[in-house]
Amino acid sequence: MAFIFSTNLGRGLFSKGRRGVSGHRTVVRMAATGPMGFIGLGIMGYPMAQNLINGGGELVVWNRSTEKSVDLSDKNPGKVTVAESPKEVIERCDITFSMLSTPQAVEATYFGSGDKSALEGVSKGKRIVDCSTLTQEASQASADAVEARGGLFLEAPVSGSKVPAETGNLIFLCGGDKSTFDMIEKELSLMGKKSFFLGPCGSGTRMKLVVNMIMGSMMAALSEGIALAEATDLDGQTLLDVLDLGAMANPLFKMKGANMLTDKRNYAPHFPLEHAQKDMRFACSLADQAEVQMPVAAAANQLFISARSQGFSREDLSAVIEALRTKQQNDK
């Protein structure tokens, strides 16, 4: 099994693999310890699993629709075993990653009825690394259930969307079992550029919700800016150029902005709007629990809700601007 060598930069913080002058990672070969499991091969999970394979790993995988599992296996002959159930994945692997899109998917996969659920495969020493974005209560429930069966649980939600997942530039925000975090340092470096250990289970989830709350609020603000510029006969691309040259320059605006302009309106999903709104909702709920007022995030969440009601749930989160355009048309 091949892993990336990474340097310990401090407690809970690791670099990704070293790169040579060509920009390619330097790979260090290590003795195989058996296949790893991977549950969930959607927009994020599929490229994450592929990066583990690219690093020399062998996987046992399961996805709710078998087409993705078969496709991954076909593209990596001899490297992927397609399991018939989540239970089988965990039974066959010491370490299993999961990347599921919604709390409902996690509930069905981990706690589903019958004898094929993920928890049915957990026994003493099995390690579960859940990269899904949940509430802290849901993450703790998964941890409690895994630990009750003798397993070890690490939450590891990621900051980043489709392209960072494909290029191995995710940021892992981890909480839970520290020994598991330390053990999978190399695997995390194959899939991401930084990994943070933040404390007990729930810490990683809270950090992820804060990060995505900020992102959603930024997208709502950019949407308002573009809508106002275009409505007052200013060129939207010039607005983006001005932003990119000043203190507000950031990768999010650079990546999303041009496709939000009226003459583009390209919302191919990298991070589906419905998932962004889910995270905004969870962050607002977390703020209520902490008695923190978040009027900006609350307003942004309402804009995302409006976009969902207009049929943009499965589009990229940048489609939130269409909620403003619809309101503008209706107000005329």
Side-chain angles (χ1 to χ4, degrees):
M1 184 178 295
F3 293 121
I4 297 299
F5 175 82
S6 65
T7 304
N8 191 332
L9 299 178
R11 178 176 176 83
L13 177 60
F14 299 95
S15 72
K16 73 187 302 180
R18 297 175 297 178
R19 296 181 183 271
V21 293
S22 65
H24 296 295
R25 297 177 180 180
T26 301
V27 177
V28 176
R29 300 262 166 200
M30 299 182 69
T33 58
M36 292 172 289
F38 209 105
I39 295 172
L41 299 174
I43 290 176
M44 300 293 291
Y46 190 104
M48 291 168 67
Q50 184 62 63
N51 281 330
L52 290 174
I53 297 167
N54 291 345
E58 296 182 6
L59 300 182
V60 178
V61 303
W62 180 86
N63 192 61
R64 285 176 291 172
S65 60
T66 58
E67 290 84 358
K68 291 286 188 71
S69 298
V70 172
D71 182 70
L72 186 68
S73 178
D74 289 345
K75 289 179 179 176
N76 300 277
K79 294 290 186 179
V80 177
T81 300
V82 179
E84 294 185 358
S85 67
K87 175 186 177 182
E88 182 185 347
V89 174
I90 294 173
E91 284 181 333
R92 297 180 64 167
C93 305
D94 292 334
I95 300 172
T96 297
F97 294 87
S98 67
M99 173 55 100
L100 299 165
S101 59
T102 66
Q104 293 77 15
V106 172
E107 176 78 18
T109 301
Y110 277 68
F111 301 93
S113 59
D115 60 356
K116 301 296 185 182
S117 70
L119 282 175
E120 292 297 323
V122 176
S123 57
K124 185 175 177 58
K126 297 288 186 180
R127 297 175 187 268
I128 308 299
V129 183
D130 190 354
C131 303
S132 311
T133 300
L134 308 169
T135 63
Q136 61 177 343
E137 293 83 4
S139 187
Q140 187 63 59
S142 295
D144 290 344
V146 169
E147 291 165 2
R149 292 173 173 265
L152 300 161
F153 183 87
L154 182 74
E155 61 176 6
V158 300
S159 179
S161 56
K162 180 181 178 183
V163 172
E166 291 172 343
T167 59
N169 282 297
L170 296 170
I171 302 168
F172 287 89
L173 307 171
C174 304
D177 182 65
K178 182 63 161 60
S179 70
T180 299
F181 178 81
D182 293 338
M183 182 176 292
I184 63 170
E185 172 191 344
K186 307 301 186 297
E187 287 86 347
L188 295 180
S189 73
L190 287 168
M191 298 183 287
K193 61 183 178 181
K194 292 286 185 183
S195 300
F196 293 87
F197 184 78
L198 299 166
C201 184
S203 304
T205 292
R206 293 194 300 276
M207 182 65 80
K208 172 64 185 291
L209 295 180
V210 171
V211 168
N212 277 19
M213 176 272 292
I214 295 171
M215 178 178 66
S217 299
M218 289 172 64
M219 287 304 305
L222 179 62
S223 296
E224 290 184 344
I226 291 173
L228 180 58
E230 293 182 339
T232 56
D233 298 323
L234 294 173
D235 179 66
Q237 185 57 58
T238 301
L239 168 65
L240 296 175
D241 292 341
V242 171
L243 292 173
D244 196 46
L245 290 169
M248 289 176 286
N250 66 80
L252 181 67
F253 288 3
K254 195 174 187 67
M255 184 189 313
K256 304 293 186 183
N259 285 332
M260 297 166 68
L261 301 179
T262 297
D263 61 348
K264 294 282 185 67
R265 299 170 91 161
N266 178 5
Y267 307 123
H270 288 231
F271 182 34
L273 187 145
E274 62 182 348
H275 297 164
Q277 193 274 315
K278 171 207 46 141
D279 294 350
M280 292 289 287
R281 182 174 77 252
F282 289 169
C284 289
S285 176
L286 181 64
D288 286 342
Q289 295 174 33
E291 299 182 349
V292 173
Q293 294 187 12
M294 297 202 308
V296 173
N301 184 43
Q302 288 302 313
L303 195 63
F304 277 90
I305 290 172
S306 295
R308 290 192 67 176
S309 72
Q310 294 166 25
F312 294 98
S313 290
R314 299 294 179 88
E315 303 292 342
D316 190 74
L317 83 160
S318 53
V320 69
I321 192 174
E322 295 299 329
L324 292 174
R325 288 183 173 135
T326 298
K327 187 176 189 310
Q328 184 180 356
Q329 284 296 117
N330 292 341
D331 289 345
K332 285 184 178 179

